[in-house]
Amino acid sequence: MRGLVFLLTLVCIATAQHQALIDYLERRLLAIEDRISLWQEQTTRYASELRELKQQMVSQLESLDKEKETIRMTLDGVGTRVDRVERELDYLETQNGAQPCVDVDDRLIEQQVTLVKEKQKAKYFKLTDCSDMISSIKAMKILKRVGGPKGMWTKDTGRTSGKVYIFNGTAEDTINEFATVQDFTRSLGFSLSTDLKIPSSWKGTGHVVYNNQVYYVNQAEEIRVIKCDTENKSVTDSVVFPVQDHVPVYGLNPETVMDLAVDEEGLWAIYATRQNERYISLAKMDSNSLDIEQMWDTNCPRENAETAFVICGTLYVVYNTNQPGRSRVQCVFDVNDLVTNEEAPLVYFPKRYSFHSSLKYNPQEQLLYAWDDGYQILYKLSMKKKLEI
């Protein structure tokens, strides 16, 4: 009897386990069926989307074929007109003898050389009564570190805007624009900035922003100064700088072939040529037309130069002193001959990192905006009158 009870107990246990296994398998099968149903729905939706995409692509390809045919017909018409113009030019050349082009080119070159020499000899007439010069660096403030080791940052040096512009790197086509210095300081990276894409890439770190216009240098076979409106992001003017055989203006910043600067007098170009490659040259430019108003050959060496800036018509060139964390204004050139190297005070920068890839003077604030190994720094200046030397 006990054996029968034990046997029945085993049978009941086995039956319960069997039923539990069946229940588990049924649940798994239901879950698999649900997943299969979901996959079928997703597959059907993807197939429908692929068909719609295919239809859109076919429609766009047909539209492109039509546009291609239109362009081909337009080009055929242009080719026909070009052929007609060439035949007319050939006829005119048979009726009129060829002009001495070489002589004309020679005369043009002579005129350009003469014009440059005249602009170098002419006396500079100041546009303002500014007579300030640097006495010392009064204070230094490190705002933040953003971007690469080389770049340029500046505030709009005109009177109408407080916007800040970041040129990160030495060859890009997108500028980061901040509404204020405070936005730039509290921004995480470039998160509070607006991307300002300009029509062509800049070269080096020698750019300025002046009265809502970006002035930057683009280099191909020649050096071109480009003026771009910050509002509509379009080029308002550009000019090829009328000097051949350029070399990088600073020995320690080989990417910068020309440095633009703004002071109380307006726009300046700092450059160097192979004909006078040991020294830095200076030119005054018209900020509206980009014409060269006057040019000077300075006595400031390129070797070991970091960067430069202009204040009240005086060029200040900053050099590496080979002392840890310091650089110095070691050469000055005043276009009115009021300041000489012997008379100028010693100005040291309490620099902490690598070396300055750019220094931009703001005449409204009398501040220098510096870029040092990715750190954005402000230098507050103490000024004195040139006649007080």
Side-chain angles (χ1 to χ4, degrees):
M1 188 65 179
R2 291 180 179 176
L4 181 59
V5 172
F6 178 74
L7 181 61
L8 289 173
T9 301
L10 291 176
V11 170
C12 290
I13 293 173
T15 301
Q17 291 177 344
H18 179 70
Q19 184 62 40
L21 178 61
I22 291 174
D23 293 340
Y24 171 77
L25 291 174
E26 286 180 351
R27 289 195 300 272
R28 295 295 296 170
L29 288 172
L30 289 173
I32 293 172
E33 288 176 355
D34 290 339
R35 290 183 180 179
I36 292 174
S37 177
L38 179 61
W39 291 341
Q40 288 178 344
E41 291 177 359
Q42 292 177 343
T43 302
T44 302
R45 187 171 70 253
Y46 293 155
S48 175
E49 290 176 354
L50 285 173
R51 284 194 297 270
E52 292 177 0
L53 179 61
K54 180 180 178 181
Q55 292 175 356
Q56 292 176 0
M57 292 180 65
V58 170
S59 176
Q60 291 179 358
L61 288 173
E62 290 176 353
S63 177
L64 288 174
D65 286 338
K66 293 179 181 179
E67 292 179 1
K68 178 181 177 182
E69 183 64 20
T70 302
I71 293 173
R72 187 188 64 80
M73 295 175 62
T74 302
L75 290 175
D76 289 341
V78 171
T80 302
R81 283 182 286 178
V82 169
D83 291 339
R84 184 182 303 118
V85 170
E86 288 180 346
R87 289 195 299 270
E88 292 176 355
L89 287 175
D90 291 339
Y91 172 77
L92 290 174
E93 287 179 354
T94 60
Q95 300 298 316
N96 301 281
Q99 299 297 319
C101 296
V102 174
D103 294 340
V104 173
D105 290 343
D106 289 341
R107 286 198 298 270
L108 287 175
I109 293 175
E110 291 176 358
Q111 290 174 1
Q112 291 178 352
V113 171
T114 302
L115 183 62
V116 168
K117 290 181 178 179
E118 290 176 353
K119 289 184 176 181
Q120 289 176 335
K121 293 180 180 179
K123 181 179 179 181
Y124 178 68
F125 293 97
K126 295 178 63 177
L127 302 176
T128 69
D129 59 355
C130 176
S131 60
D132 290 335
M133 66 172 295
I134 297 180
S135 174
S136 63
I137 303 297
K138 185 176 182 179
M140 169 186 175
K141 182 178 181 180
I142 301 174
L143 269 71
K144 65 187 302 182
R145 185 180 190 183
V146 65
K150 290 190 176 183
M152 190 280 290
W153 79 294
T154 182
K155 197 173 180 181
D156 189 329
T157 53
R159 299 178 181 273
T160 60
S161 173
K163 294 180 179 180
V164 174
Y165 298 87
I166 309 297
F167 294 73
N168 184 22
T170 58
E172 297 291 341
D173 63 355
T174 301
I175 306 167
N176 298 104
E177 179 187 80
F178 291 86
T180 62
V181 174
Q182 290 75 18
D183 283 353
F184 169 63
T185 304
R186 64 187 179 88
S187 172
L188 182 62
F190 298 109
S191 59
L192 297 181
S193 69
T194 301
D195 288 345
L196 178 64
K197 189 174 179 64
I198 56 179
S200 58
S201 62
W202 71 75
K203 176 67 175 176
T205 60
H207 338 291
V208 293
V209 182
Y210 183 45
N211 290 332
N212 298 321
Q213 301 286 328
V214 178
Y215 298 80
Y216 65 98
V217 176
N218 178 271
Q219 180 185 7
E221 294 181 358
E222 68 273 335
I223 305 301
R224 182 174 291 273
V225 179
I226 301 174
K227 178 181 176 183
C228 177
D229 191 284
T230 60
E231 299 295 332
N232 55 32
K233 305 177 183 62
S234 62
V235 173
T236 54
D237 206 349
S238 68
V239 64
V240 175
F241 198 77
V243 176
Q244 295 180 343
D245 295 329
H246 290 79
V247 293
V249 62
Y250 306 124
L252 296 182
N253 271 322
E255 298 88 355
T256 301
V257 70
M258 177 182 290
D259 197 358
L260 301 176
V262 170
D263 74 343
E264 293 79 359
E265 296 283 294
L267 182 65
W268 302 81
I270 308 167
Y271 65 99
T273 65
R274 195 168 301 279
Q275 291 80 4
N276 189 32
E277 63 179 344
R278 291 184 57 192
Y279 299 98
I280 293 172
S281 297
L282 180 66
K284 180 68 177 65
M285 299 184 70
D286 187 312
S287 61
N288 294 318
S289 65
L290 298 183
D291 290 339
I292 305 298
E293 297 178 349
Q294 200 162 336
M295 307 173 82
W296 298 266
D297 290 331
T298 78
N299 57 350
C300 296
R302 291 174 55 242
E303 184 179 1
N304 215 32
E306 293 182 2
T307 185
F309 53 93
V310 181
I311 298 178
C312 291
T314 301
L315 174 70
Y316 297 82
V317 185
V318 180
Y319 296 85
N320 192 317
T321 63
N322 294 321
Q323 299 177 7
R326 301 194 85 182
S327 56
R328 169 189 168 187
V329 173
Q330 200 165 319
C331 185
V332 298
F333 176 83
D334 187 78
V335 297
N336 292 295
D337 295 328
L338 296 178
V339 182
T340 65
N341 281 321
E342 292 76 14
E343 298 168 327
L346 297 177
V347 179
Y348 284 92
F349 288 86
K351 190 165 53 65
R352 301 185 179 184
Y353 305 104
S354 177
F355 62 87
H356 297 114
S357 64
S358 64
L359 280 169
K360 296 298 172 181
Y361 173 65
N362 189 306
Q364 311 304 325
E365 304 169 322
Q366 292 189 335
L367 293 174
L368 287 175
Y369 287 68
W371 189 292
D372 178 7
D373 197 25
Y375 289 89
Q376 289 74 46
I377 302 172
L378 284 176
Y379 292 111
K380 188 173 183 180
L381 305 177
S382 291
M383 311 296 286
K384 64 184 301 183
K385 296 299 180 182
K386 294 178 181 179
L387 298 179
E388 295 177 2
I389 300 174

